[in-house]
């Protein structure tokens, strides 16, 4: 089965267009290095919890929106090789494609797919 990376972050509302530009460049690079699909989502109905929630997890401020993204890979091996190449790709450097959000509050992880319906 496939392998999926997911990402959750808080992006300043004023940086929405910059985020889209960043995501477009990133998607191109990820696809060139083996990703099958990249999905980017801008928060719309993301409730603030009292104990746990996506906004709390990324310490979202009032002027920020939570994004949720995922990348589908054919396998963990393809993902590992892809990530290695992505980290070396100059298009992904901070100078060429800066993150328009606080990367210290980015949550990410890799997951084995156990069901696709």
């Amino acid at each position: 089965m496939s392998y999926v990376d997911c990402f959750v972050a808080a992006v300043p509302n004023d940086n929405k267009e910059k985020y889209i530009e960043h995501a477009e460049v990133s998607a191109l690079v990820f696809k060139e290095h083996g990703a099958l699909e990249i999905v980017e989502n801008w928060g719309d109905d993301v409730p603030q919890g009292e104990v746990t929630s996506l906004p709390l997890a990324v310490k979202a401020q009032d002027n920020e929106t939570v994004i949720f993204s995922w990348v589908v890979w054919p396998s963990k091996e393809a993902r590992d090789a892809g990530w290695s190449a992505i980290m070396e790709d100059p298009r992904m450097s901070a100078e060429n494609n800066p993150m328009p959000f606080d990367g210290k509050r980015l949550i990410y992880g890799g997951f084995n797919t156990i069901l696709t319906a």
Side-chain angles (χ1 to χ4, degrees):
M1 290 209 121
S2 60
Y3 195 81
V4 176
D5 284 315
C6 76
F7 308 90
V8 181
V11 178
N13 297 328
D14 291 345
N15 287 355
K16 184 176 183 179
E17 290 306 314
K18 287 180 185 177
Y19 181 79
I20 293 169
E21 292 169 13
H22 170 80
E24 288 172 340
V25 170
S26 299
L28 177 68
V29 173
F30 274 65
K31 294 280 277 220
E32 286 180 13
H33 294 296
L36 301 173
E37 180 180 34
I38 295 93
V39 179
E40 295 283 347
N41 302 279
W42 189 260
D44 176 58
D45 185 12
V46 186
Q48 178 77 353
E50 292 182 24
V51 178
T52 63
S53 69
L54 292 169
L56 285 173
V58 294
K59 298 181 180 179
Q61 305 297 310
D62 290 339
N63 65 336
E64 295 177 321
T65 297
V66 174
I67 59 94
F68 176 71
S69 309
W70 67 88
V71 179
V72 179
W73 302 91
S75 65
K76 184 171 191 310
E77 294 76 25
R79 178 266 206 161
D80 290 348
W83 267 109
S84 180
I86 288 164
M87 293 296 105
E88 297 298 320
D89 194 304
R91 294 171 291 176
M92 294 301 291
S93 71
E95 297 80 31
N96 293 327
N97 192 18
M99 289 189 295
F101 56 89
D102 180 1
K104 292 178 185 171
R105 293 185 284 142
L106 171 70
I107 298 172
Y108 60 92
F111 298 83
N112 288 303
T113 301
I114 59 171
L115 174 71
T116 301

